[in-house]
Amino acid sequence: MTKFLLSLHVLAAIVAVGPVTVAASMFPPAVRRAAAPSGGGGPAATAVSGVELLHRICRVYARIGVAVPVLGLATALAMGVLGDGWLITSITLTAAAAGVLLAFVLPRQDELIGQLNGDRPVERHSTVHLAMFTGVFNLLWATVTVLMIVRPGSTTGA
């Protein structure tokens, strides 16, 4: 049962977190391209549609991503490692990543889409701040991934 849960946990992480990481990283430059003056003066409809698609990917896969910690906790319970330091650190970093996504990344994406749809100017510092928060989100997930692979004190590793 442990191997099955671990497999589901890893698959959920790949399927759910991967798309959010990539789409969120692509979002700030896509907004800058969409906000660049086009022939008609406003953002091109296709560019704005692309930005909206990236945002939709982030929102949908963030919801699916809830399965990752749920399956992770079930796996940890089955393995009997709930009290291990590496796992507690991973849980804390996962919560921090979710907090960054929900409090900083998704709301700023909403604001920028509103500016594009309202033909309001998009200031570069807004996209830079979003890129910074996205980078923090990605760094937190990368750290969790390394902890899951290395697992300090693991008897299964080399």
Side-chain angles (χ1 to χ4, degrees):
M1 184 63 155
T2 301
K3 289 181 182 183
F4 177 70
L5 286 171
L6 181 58
S7 297
L8 288 178
H9 172 62
V10 170
L11 285 171
I14 292 167
V15 170
V17 179
V20 174
T21 301
V22 172
S25 295
M26 292 173 64
F27 191 91
V31 169
R32 286 192 286 271
R33 282 191 304 277
S38 63
T46 55
V48 175
S49 295
V51 170
E52 289 172 337
L53 175 63
L54 291 171
H55 181 56
R56 195 171 322 118
I57 290 168
C58 290
R59 281 193 335 253
V60 169
Y61 282 92
R63 288 186 188 112
I64 295 169
V66 171
V68 176
V70 169
L71 289 166
L73 287 172
T75 304
L77 183 63
M79 293 174 70
V81 296
L82 278 176
D84 288 7
W86 64 270
L87 183 66
I88 293 168
T89 302
S90 294
I91 291 169
T92 302
L93 293 175
T94 298
V100 168
L101 182 66
L102 295 174
F104 298 105
V105 175
L106 294 176
R108 281 180 171 70
Q109 287 181 350
D110 281 329
E111 291 171 12
L112 290 168
I113 288 172
Q115 290 173 357
L116 288 173
N117 286 330
D119 286 332
R120 296 190 311 267
V122 174
E123 296 184 22
R124 182 163 174 82
H125 73 85
S126 297
T127 60
V128 169
H129 284 135
L130 176 58
M132 177 192 65
F133 290 122
T134 300
V136 169
F137 171 77
N138 292 343
L139 183 61
L140 288 167
W141 272 116
T143 305
V144 169
T145 302
V146 169
L147 281 172
M148 290 290 134
I149 293 168
V150 174
R151 298 183 318 183
S154 171
T155 58
T156 60

